[in-house]
Amino acid sequence: MKILILGLLSAWALNAQAELKVVTTTTTLENLVQEIGQDKVDVSSLTKSNQDPHFVEAKPSYMVKLRQADLLVSVGLDLEVGWIGNVQRGAKNPTLLKGSKGFFAAGDHIEAIDIPEGKLDRAEGDVHPLGNPHFHLDPIKTISVVEALAIKLGELDSANAEFYQRRAADYAKTLKEKMKDWESRITKSQVNNVITYHKSLSYFLRRFDLDVVASIEPKPGIPPTAKHIISLIKLVKQKNVKCILNENYFETTAGERIKGVTQASLQIVPVEVQTDYFDLIESLVTAVENCGKGV
Ligand SMILES: [Zn+2]
């Protein structure tokens, strides 16, 4: 009996050791790490799926989570610049600091769009100086992130490096297959231009050949004025815009006003994973289809 218990205990200890503790800043990254790592990782996200990841309170509970983690996975490109530094410092876990082996920024592995030119001015709003950090809504860019994540997990857990590589390859294959269906459905929807609240959907729209006519916020992080809404209404009518995609963590009153006096359909869409990444992109594709049907 004693031997059995000892055996069980050591098996448990081995298992506990094998599990990489990963903390991500968003639920989308959490899901991607889970897909690649399966039972070899214990992963959790600091923010919830309907939370604005630009502005987050650096809670002490986040620091406790990070203190015990082997890896911090962030979006990068300064998306979390307002809060993650405080959490990292408070965690007192130097291996998770930028440049250390327990830190991963997805943005280091993709080519960004919307990089502002010239000198930055705060009057331009809360711009992203390193380029648009919302690349995760482009499934093809997400493949690059998944591949880089698999390498990082393998670096920290070399015994399972091959497993992570295989999982990433399978995941990329599934995503590429799904792309065909998503692309054809968006083409069929006959929607070709949209407005969004923030530039969160720029990569998604670009990937699926949809034009962004304007943003509801006149400048990043700045809510719309009555004047701006009037100019948007004009634009929507002029360009026959059928679709307003309003990210679920921004207010919808401006979108509703525009919808009320134009032909545009208003879709409130998730921009971070609620169940899994496939469902997230599926929701966005369905939202565009709904716009096409005038729902
Ligand atoms: Zn943003």
Side-chain angles (χ1 to χ4, degrees), residues 197-221:
Y197 189 95
H198 180 68
K199 288 192 167 172
S200 337
L201 290 147
S202 305
Y203 288 90
F204 170 82
L205 298 169
R206 203 179 149 104
R207 176 61 61 197
F208 291 99
D209 268 335
L210 295 163
D211 285 337
V212 197
V213 170
S215 303
I216 293 181
E217 53 175 18
K219 286 171 181 171

Side-chain angles (χ1 to χ4, degrees), residues 54 79 128 133-134 198:
H54 302 84
L79 174 74
H128 296 303
H134 306 292
H198 180 68

